[in-house]
Amino acid sequence: MLALSVGQIRRRPAAFAGLAAALLLAMATVTLFGSLVAAQVTAPGAVARAPVAGPGVLVIAAAFGEIAVLVALFVVVNALGFTLRQQHRDLALLRTVAATPRQVRRVVRAQVVATVLLAAVPGCAAGLLAARVFLTALQRRGMAAPGLHIPGTPVPMAVALGVALLVGLAASAASAWRVTRPAPAVALAEGTAEGAGTGTGAGTGGLRGAAVLRSVVGVAVLAGGVLLLRLAATRPAGELDKAGQAALLGSLVLLAALALLGPLAARALSAVLGAPVRALVPRAGWLADANLRGYAARLSSAVVPVALLVGLSGTMLIMTSTAERVVRATGAATSVTKASDIWLRQAELGLLVCFAAVSTVNTLVALTADRRREFALLRLVGSTRRQLLRMRSVEAALTTAIGVLLGAAVAAAASGAFSWAVRGSAVPVIPGAQCAWVVLGAALLTVPGIVGTGVWASGGSAVAS
């Protein structure tokens, strides 16, 4: 089983490298905020009780870390699900040659454990370093006692490793269930149908059942996100921070619902945007649109990280601008605490953007690299490298547009709920220039990631591929 697990990792280095990067960031995040909590808890009484500007280290670690850890784990689950979906056909093939469901689950668990352990040391080391840098920044701004220091206890690192293993094994069990539940021939047919983007033939009944279950869960998660946004919108105007936290959590839950309902949403938007593209770029546009709509699961995997980047960044930026407008309108004093709050929001935004950017690049590179045989087949039937480049460019533009629109919808809903709570209006204050930079950043991550990796994947001999 160990040899099979290592073989799969070697066969798909891009996908597992992306998973390792997501796990590294997740463990670094848990270690960072766990170390801050440990620093406050283990501090001498005089240091722990020293007056500081702002809410204190424990509150910062709890409020700041809550969102950051949830986003990090969301990125891990998304990366792990994508990595295991790419192996569906291979794992189903193992079952047709007499591998038992238990053995297949052991292969998947071994892959997850190996990847977690590979990312553990650099992840925890990065978390400790980040904790020291962050604590120093807090002390420089008077938000942490000068005598506070990061202790040498291994507890935060052990917690980070335990959380990564728990989340990884739980997510892998859910993904492996799709392979081990049906009969071997049915599992293989499902993997072939999903990989080919077809909706007919053997095995598609299981795919339809899984799609229905996923849609039901997605609708339930969507309802939870709507409830959170309603909670944010009904907070009293004076509870700006609580409204902001509820709105940000609501945006994260909406993004989780988007990950579940992604194939439906992506296919619908692709149908709407594909028509003008086919008219403007007839040949490359038609092929790109057919690829995107025919491979809805693949398109969903590509657009969800882009939506995560745009949705979280847009929500944070718009809520910050709205809050600042409210502060100026009510004549609130711009104290040291207020300046520190702005810095904290900027730091949180930077961390969340980092997670989303890593998720975007990892997923797009792995998705495009996995299409090597598809590009080779197109070359064998007469497509030139220039035609493939135009097709990939159109695909990249459509993927960016769909991801940006979905992320903007999430940001609009979350920031609108926050604005209703603090201003009495569902129209928030939109920082146009900053939001434009977010869209540009999403395009700069998406388009080169798809086009550049596609150039590499379509290189070499078409017959050999």
Side-chain angles (χ1 to χ4, degrees):
M1 293 299 108
L2 182 60
L4 286 174
S5 301
V6 173
Q8 283 293 92
I9 293 174
R10 288 178 176 175
R11 186 181 176 189
R12 303 182 185 275
F16 280 97
L19 175 59
L23 286 166
L24 188 152
L25 282 176
M27 285 188 279
T29 304
V30 176
T31 302
L32 190 164
F33 294 106
S35 298
L36 289 178
V37 172
Q40 183 69 31
V41 170
T42 60
V47 175
R49 292 190 298 270
V52 295
V57 172
L58 281 179
V59 175
I60 291 172
F64 192 168
E66 174 188 18
I67 299 295
V69 170
L70 285 175
V71 172
L73 296 181
F74 175 83
V75 170
V76 167
V77 171
N78 188 56
L80 182 59
F82 164 70
T83 302
L84 294 180
R85 279 198 304 274
Q86 285 190 311
Q87 300 180 76
H88 185 108
R89 188 174 184 278
D90 297 337
L91 295 174
L93 189 60
L94 286 178
R95 293 201 57 205
T96 64
V97 293
T100 65
R102 184 176 183 180
Q103 289 173 323
V104 172
R105 288 192 292 268
R106 285 175 59 190
V107 169
V108 173
R109 284 197 296 266
Q111 291 174 356
V112 172
V113 172
T115 310
V116 169
L117 294 179
L118 181 67
V121 174
C124 292
L128 281 175
L129 178 61
R132 292 190 174 95
V133 172
F134 192 58
L135 180 59
T136 301
L138 291 176
Q139 290 171 330
R140 193 162 54 244
R141 289 166 175 80
M143 303 179 73
L148 214 59
H149 67 277
I150 301 297
T153 175
V155 173
M157 293 176 284
V159 170
L161 179 60
V163 169
L165 284 172
L166 181 63
V167 172
L169 291 175
S172 66
S175 298
W177 178 78
R178 288 190 58 195
V179 182
T180 58
R181 175 185 54 84
V186 176
L188 182 60
E190 287 181 0
T192 304
E194 185 175 20
T198 59
T200 60
T204 56
L207 285 178
R208 284 193 294 268
V212 170
L213 178 60
R214 177 172 175 160
S215 299
V216 171
V217 175
V219 170
V221 175
L222 179 64
V226 172
L227 288 176
L228 274 172
L229 293 187
R230 183 181 178 184
L231 175 64
T234 54
R235 303 301 299 183
E239 297 183 357
L240 187 146
D241 289 337
K242 292 182 179 179
Q245 285 294 108
L248 196 55
L249 276 175
S251 69
L252 186 57
V253 174
L254 289 181
L255 286 167
L258 177 61
L260 292 166
L261 300 172
L264 298 175
R267 185 184 285 116
L269 278 177
S270 178
V272 173
L273 298 178
V277 169
R278 289 194 303 271
L280 293 172
V281 193
R283 296 177 183 175
W286 182 89
L287 188 55
D289 180 51
N291 271 333
L292 293 181
R293 284 198 286 172
Y295 293 82
R298 185 173 70 191
L299 176 60
S300 174
S301 297
V303 301
V304 165
V306 181
L308 176 68
L309 174 62
V310 175
L312 287 178
S313 303
T315 299
M316 290 288 292
L317 288 172
I318 296 172
M319 286 200 310
T320 298
S321 295
T322 303
E324 290 175 349
R325 176 72 62 85
V326 170
V327 167
R328 287 196 299 269
T330 56
T334 55
S335 62
V336 176
T337 303
K338 177 59 181 175
S340 300
D341 288 343
I342 294 174
W343 176 81
L344 278 175
R345 286 196 298 271
Q346 291 173 342
E348 185 175 18
L349 175 61
L351 187 60
L352 297 181
V353 168
C354 178
F355 291 148
V358 168
S359 177
T360 301
V361 173
N362 286 343
T363 304
L364 293 176
V365 168
L367 269 175
T368 310
D370 202 47
R371 298 174 64 186
R372 192 177 184 89
R373 290 184 179 179
E374 176 189 335
F375 295 148
L377 181 61
L378 288 172
R379 288 178 58 197
L380 287 174
V381 297
S383 298
T384 64
R385 284 192 173 92
R386 179 173 294 181
Q387 288 172 328
L388 290 180
L389 179 61
R390 286 199 295 267
M391 180 198 73
R392 287 191 299 268
S393 300
V394 176
E395 283 186 7
L398 280 172
T399 301
T400 303
I402 293 171
V404 167
L405 287 175
L406 291 174
V410 171
S415 57
F418 175 77
S419 178
W420 183 269
V422 300
R423 298 179 69 211
S425 169
V427 181
V429 179
I430 301 176
Q434 294 177 353
C435 290
W437 279 110
V438 170
V439 174
L440 179 61
L444 290 176
L445 288 172
T446 305
V447 175
I450 293 177
V451 175
T453 309
V455 170
W456 170 83
S458 59
S461 170
V463 176
S465 298

